[in-house]
Amino acid sequence: MTTEISATLAQTHPYDLLAPDERDALAGKVGRRTMAAGDVIYAIGQPVTELCLILSGRIEITDQDGDLLSILGPRNSFGERGLMRDGIAPVTATATEPGEMLTIPADVFRALVAAHPRILRFFDRTRPASARRQDVTTMALSALMTRGPLTCAPETPLIEAARKMRELGVSCIIACEGQSVRGILTTGDITSRAVAEGLPPRTPVAQVMTPDPITLPPAALVADVLHKMVERGITHMPVVEGGRLVGILTQTDLTRFQATSSAALIHDIAAASDSAALARAARRIPDLLVQLVSAQNPHQVVTRLITDIGDAITRRLLALAEEKLGPPPVPYLWLACGSQGRQEQTGVSDQDNCLILDDAATPPDDEYFAALAGFVSDGLDEAGYFYCPGDMMATNIKWRQPLRVWKQYFRGWINRPDPEAQMLASVMFDLRPIGGAESLFPDLHAETLAAAAKNSIFVSHMISNSLKHHTPLGLFRGFATVRSGEHKNTIDLKHNGVVPVVDLGRIYALKGELTEANTRARLLAAIETGVVSTSGGRDLLDAYDMIADTRLAHQATQIKRGEAPDNFMAPADLSDFERSHLRDAFVVIKTMQNAAGSGRGYLN
């Protein structure tokens, strides 16, 4: 039997990573058991004593309310979440068909993952507390190179090649035969080897180009490029993989990359003289996002820095508006809600904002504040923060009111939690001051949190409203993807991944009267204050980190391909390992949603 078990393990990941003698030793410790339809392998709250590997039959995984989370078949393992955490089952596993499975005792499993980091990585569903940042020189060329560089045939006339370079605003063209690099022609070559020598315009590129240039693969480091450039006195490096041209990296690319930092951007924003200058600065945000993601910054760092730029643009527009309109008639406070309010902006953001005016404001004063709101919102739109589709902006007089009116708004939403009130409250509970008299906000914030937390009916309605965003879980360990349209066969990482956690974080903040607006900060505060159980909260935090990091990596990849970033990712683009872990993250979110909805379990 041991030989048969060892052969099965050899065909099953991650046990195929073991050396044959190690796999044989493990097989000698593995048990084998049969299961009948209806057998409960373990239930929520029971000890998990072994890892199970299904040989035949099917297992249903359900949460505390009996909702189906997954159906597992042959070659699937289960039980690792309990074993990797506290030894207690977080879900129920029930056989729905007769079958067989291999069982690895808990102590053997723990020794296995302790001795083999690659196997630990497969089973460990947690994320590192922080990712190690990379220096630009240790990054791969694939993260910085320009894909699809300009090419021509070696026999192309020099004047045609020069015109192509001028049209695209590039400093070189690669001479290729098929996908093979034969030479490189730069603006310097044209000046020194053609114009200075008086060559005719129809001279073939092959006569002027540098033949057989040095190339590097996309996996090479930026340091390799720098060394070659210094050693050989070159300024352009074609990137070749498998004999095929895939990109190019230039000294200009490196200079631009190193100059694109949040501090440099904010410096330029603070000095901007008009909205057009702000828009030019904002166009560098995608490059910054790619840089931050490529340097392995965790999502909370990337989105915080991206949001800081949005805040700086907003404050500069407020200053420009006051220069144009004169001093405000009464103190005011400009606030952001939505992703900017939570400091979670990515490469795709609309604007959600409002104005709180001092109670001394009179109706005639609104002419000034309407003009100010219009100036700022138009400037934000020009900078790429498109108008809110739901008109949740200070340009709408409803969201441009004295403090006393805002207090009435929140009291009304809390006391009469109809669907519209729930929606508005969900947005407005993420308010964060951006510019103006911040003294207008603290009392409103504290009073609203206290009133909301004490109104159990309102909290119940908010919980119910938060559960409307479903995770994209399909059966048989798959994903429920978009079925038709532009985004067919993708999953929406925002509305079906990030937003459900944002909603849960908001609920925890209400129940605990937590002042944090950022989702990750809310989750940490909820764990620390006991609003949510430590085990459930940590699982949710890990799930959120995985999905948010995946979303940013997806957007960075799109930007590098020259595409507009979005939130729709095809699961087929991920490895089996990545899909497995991403699906586990969605299972955790669904479990926590169910716990919040039932008022039991992980929500204290």
Side-chain angles (χ1 to χ4, degrees), residues 184-367:
I184 183 171
L185 178 73
T186 68
T187 51
D189 295 332
I190 295 174
T191 300
S192 62
R193 298 178 184 175
V195 177
E197 297 296 330
L199 296 181
R202 306 297 297 180
T203 301
V205 165
Q207 188 173 330
V208 181
M209 70 184 188
T210 299
D212 301 318
I214 299 170
T215 65
L216 285 172
L221 302 180
V222 171
D224 297 328
V225 176
L226 293 173
H227 296 163
K228 297 292 185 186
M229 286 181 172
V230 172
E231 181 182 353
R232 304 296 181 91
I234 58 178
T235 57
H236 299 73
M237 178 65 68
V239 183
V240 173
E241 185 173 32
R244 184 172 61 89
L245 177 68
V246 294
I248 191 162
L249 192 68
T250 69
Q251 277 190 342
T252 302
D253 293 330
L254 292 171
T255 301
R256 182 172 61 247
F257 185 89
Q258 292 174 314
T260 301
S261 69
S262 56
L265 267 175
I266 289 176
H267 175 273
D268 292 346
I269 288 165
S273 59
D274 54 29
S275 60
L278 290 172
R280 286 194 295 274
R283 284 196 288 271
R284 290 152 55 193
I285 293 176
D287 288 338
L288 175 63
L289 187 144
V290 170
Q291 174 181 333
L292 293 171
V293 172
S294 299
Q296 298 182 4
N297 287 284
H299 70 91
Q300 64 270 26
V301 172
V302 178
T303 54
R304 171 61 183 272
L305 294 176
I306 297 296
T307 304
D308 284 350
I309 294 166
D311 291 354
I313 291 174
T314 304
R315 283 191 287 268
R316 185 57 187 152
L317 285 167
L318 287 169
L320 292 172
E322 289 191 22
E323 289 177 12
K324 177 182 178 181
L325 302 173
V330 297
Y332 71 88
L333 178 61
W334 184 281
L335 304 98
C337 44
S339 60
Q340 185 181 4
R342 297 188 305 273
Q343 296 179 301
E344 294 166 4
Q345 287 187 309
T346 65
V348 188
S349 295
D350 62 354
Q351 52 176 295
D352 297 284
N353 47 61
C354 63
L355 271 172
I356 297 179
L357 311 180
D358 188 274
D359 280 338
T362 61
D365 293 333
D366 188 61
E367 181 179 354

Side-chain angles (χ1 to χ4, degrees), residues 10-82:
Q11 300 171 19
T12 307
H13 193 64
Y15 313 103
D16 56 347
L17 300 173
L18 296 171
D21 58 334
E22 294 175 316
R23 198 159 44 241
D24 290 342
L26 173 62
K29 302 174 185 177
V30 171
R32 189 167 188 155
R33 71 186 262 198
T34 60
M35 53 188 180
D39 283 354
V40 177
I41 312 305
Y42 54 72
I44 290 176
Q46 292 181 349
V48 180
T49 60
E50 56 198 10
L51 179 79
C52 301
L53 173 62
I54 303 170
L55 298 178
S56 61
R58 295 204 179 278
I59 297 289
E60 282 190 356
I61 305 297
T62 54
D63 64 14
Q64 61 186 9
D65 295 318
D67 288 341
L68 184 63
L69 299 176
S70 187
I71 297 177
L72 308 180
R75 294 292 188 272
N76 287 148
S77 297
F78 62 96
E80 67 273 11
R81 280 187 63 203

Side-chain angles (χ1 to χ4, degrees), residues 125-128 520 537-547 585:
R125 290 350 190 193
T126 62
R127 304 286 282 175
R520 200 174 193 281
R538 286 291 175 185
D539 277 352
L540 184 60
L541 193 64
D542 289 337
Y544 178 58
D545 286 346
M546 173 170 287
I547 293 168

